[in-house]
Amino acid sequence: MSNSAATELGGKDAPKSRVKAKGEEVLSEKGLSEKGLKAGSVGLLGAVVIGISCIAPAYTLTAALGPTVSVVGVQLPAIFLVGFIPMLLVAFGYRELNNAMPDSGTSFTWASRAFGPWIGWMGGWGLIAATIIVLSNLAAVAVDFFYLMLAQIFANPELGELSKNLPLNIATTFVFIALACWISYRGMETTKSFQYILVGFQLLVLGWFAVSAFAHLAAGSAFDATAISPDWFNPFAVSSFSDFAAGVSLSIFIYWGWDVTLTMNEETKNPQKTPGRAATLTVVIIVAIYLVVALATLCYAGVGDTGLGAGNPENQASIFAVLAGPVMGPFAILMSLAILSSSAASLQSTFVSPGRTLLAMGHYRALPQSFGRVSPSYKSPSVATIASAIAAAAFYALTRIISENALWDTITALGMMICFYYGITALACVWYFRRRWFASVRGFFFTLLFPLLGGLILLMMFVKTAIDSMDPGYGSGSEVGGVGLVFILGIGVILLGAALMLVMYLRKPEFFRGKVLSTGVAA
């Protein structure tokens, strides 16, 4: 390869390939290198199943349907579609980046290559922080539904109340996190086998719920029978822009997780093509599931704020816990099992993203190199996976002991971090492929227009949510010095990442000086 070609691939100072010496990696001319993960262990179907699992449709819907209806009413399907658009646009950008640079570091690696190490490090931090917070939340939900399931099986409501016992709750949460960590540590083949069963079950139950709800509508036995109207798909019918923005923010959160298909790109068959295709398929399948279940819920329960209405504040914590009995009759326990399996499956599959991002950051010396270790037996991230579990457990215990409001407000702030790192990655696609913008029609749409629009929409949502969350009434209503707790937690987590980045710069400056992973531009 000529020097000019090497420069195009890797930037001005792209490190050249070299013979591996003891204790160092072999770096390609792009600055990228393999990390020892088990290649070819996941195909297209397995990647899509893991992507759906990470999104956790059964858990996400039961938690998000009520709050979203309370904001946008019958325009719920329209908001789901609007939230789907930036996700799809960003997914196109992810696909292009993966085709050019399949690397388990995804947002961290791609933003580092496009914008340099500082923005790349913060992109990686956004992904890690978001997934650690979600891991703790998923474990908590799994514990709640675990005790609810026991109460239903043994017809003993007191068993369901055990989740409110704080020491027992925290101990059980630690057990769930440890089990999920153990499965993830055993590699993608174990993860894949575990997910086929749990994802298949939750999709079967969601389909059962939807069919039963439509059957009640047809039989005239629905709680608040409401016929589907074209107006439900009109986003401009939402009463105000603030309600529209809040609804879109919620809908963006419910799609989050599809990018797990990209973080395992070094372990997939055909790593240049399979992860991008899996990401696109996952997003399309999820929007179809969401629309069917949303329409079924609205047709059966309506949007009223009393009784079984989807707008009733008392139903918003878990809409399916309220509607499963009336809709599914004696089979309602299957919904509890589906939500438990959904949160448990997502808990396990979500470990894939932080484990592989931390692995990449350790491998490229943006973090201590111990994070770059791979299990010799299972060819999976070892230190990174265990560190993710410890961080999730510590975060849950700390926030739950301090205040349950702090835990749930951090989950609300999660939307800010999702928009932050998705937006950075989408713009990284635009900038990295800047020489291809006008080279072809395909290049214009997939390397410029689509990722640019998706990235800008998400970054605008980040700014809008940050401004709105300064209001003490946002989230749980908690505040510190007159500023909403959601804003303090969301911005605080990002600032914590910036502080850790400065510490790493002082300890390991070579990454931040571009000596390990160089900036570049696609030819």
Side-chain angles (χ1 to χ4, degrees), residues 102-439:
D103 190 276
S104 67
T106 58
S107 295
F108 157 73
T109 304
W110 298 334
S112 295
R113 291 274 297 132
F115 297 130
W118 299 91
I119 295 179
W121 204 99
M122 288 304 298
W125 170 256
L127 186 154
I128 292 166
T131 48
I132 294 298
I133 291 171
V134 165
L135 282 171
S136 63
N137 177 251
L138 288 167
V141 171
V143 168
D144 286 343
F145 276 91
F146 171 71
Y147 284 112
L148 176 61
M149 178 193 69
L150 293 180
Q152 291 175 325
I153 290 174
F154 295 104
N156 185 353
E158 292 182 3
L159 292 176
E161 298 297 313
L162 290 176
S163 65
K164 297 179 181 178
N165 182 309
L166 187 57
L168 181 61
N169 180 289
I170 292 175
T172 312
T173 301
F174 284 0
V175 171
F176 272 74
I177 291 175
L179 288 172
C181 175
W182 176 72
I183 295 172
S184 297
Y185 187 91
R186 292 177 62 87
M188 292 308 305
E189 290 183 339
T190 303
T191 293
K192 183 174 61 176
S193 301
F194 180 74
Q195 295 300 336
Y196 281 144
I197 299 170
L198 295 187
V199 170
F201 176 69
Q202 66 175 297
L203 295 185
L204 174 65
V205 175
L206 285 176
W208 190 330
F209 174 86
V211 170
S212 298
F214 285 128
H216 279 289
L217 175 68
S221 56
F223 170 75
D224 183 8
T226 309
I228 297 174
S229 167
D231 188 55
W232 292 8
F233 297 90
N234 179 14
F236 299 104
V238 178
S239 59
S240 70
F241 179 74
S242 293
D243 288 346
F244 175 82
V248 171
S249 181
L250 284 165
S251 67
I252 286 174
F253 167 73
I254 68 175
Y255 290 111
W256 177 67
W258 56 265
D259 54 315
V260 70
T261 61
L262 282 301
T263 62
M264 54 188 178
N265 49 26
E266 294 185 41
E267 298 154 277
T268 56
K269 301 171 184 175
N270 191 358
Q272 282 78 24
K273 301 294 183 182
T274 298
R277 291 170 179 168
T280 305
L281 278 173
T282 298
V283 175
V284 171
I285 291 170
I286 285 295
V287 75
I289 294 169
Y290 284 174
L291 285 176
V292 170
V293 176
L295 290 171
T297 302
L298 292 177
C299 287
Y300 177 87
V303 296
D305 57 5
T306 59
L308 299 179
N312 187 343
E314 295 182 2
N315 301 342
Q316 290 182 13
S318 178
I319 192 72
F320 291 153
V322 177
L323 295 182
V327 172
M328 301 175 69
F331 299 101
I333 190 174
L334 294 178
M335 183 59 79
S336 294
L337 290 172
I339 297 170
L340 171 60
S341 67
S342 178
S343 54
S346 184
L347 171 64
Q348 190 276 310
S349 60
T350 300
F351 266 104
V352 172
S353 287
R356 280 146 186 80
T357 302
L358 286 169
L359 173 75
M361 294 180 78
H363 179 79
Y364 294 123
R365 299 196 285 278
L367 285 175
Q369 286 178 268
S370 59
F371 284 98
R373 294 177 185 168
V374 170
S375 165
S377 301
Y378 301 112
K379 304 298 182 184
S380 66
S382 53
V383 173
T385 300
I386 295 170
S388 300
I390 293 172
F395 174 82
Y396 177 78
L398 180 64
T399 52
R400 191 64 189 268
I401 289 171
I402 292 174
S403 167
E404 191 166 355
N405 284 345
L407 174 66
W408 299 116
D409 277 343
T410 307
I411 300 302
T412 305
L414 175 66
M416 295 168 63
M417 281 172 277
I418 295 170
C419 291
F420 175 74
Y421 86 83
Y422 272 1
I424 286 176
T425 310
L427 296 186
C429 172
V430 174
W431 189 242
Y432 182 75
F433 291 108
R434 56 191 180 274
R435 292 182 182 175
R436 299 185 187 177
W437 290 353
F438 304 110

Side-chain angles (χ1 to χ4, degrees), residues 13 117-118 505-506 508-518:
D13 300 315
W118 299 91
Y505 169 72
L506 295 174
K508 299 282 186 179
E510 58 268 22
F511 168 77
F512 296 95
R513 293 174 179 170
K515 295 181 179 179
V516 181
L517 198 60
S518 60

Side-chain angles (χ1 to χ4, degrees), residues 432-451:
Y432 182 75
F433 291 108
R434 56 191 180 274
R435 292 182 182 175
R436 299 185 187 177
W437 290 353
F438 304 110
S440 66
V441 173
R442 186 188 186 284
F444 174 76
F445 283 103
F446 288 99
T447 67
L448 175 60
L449 184 60
F450 291 162

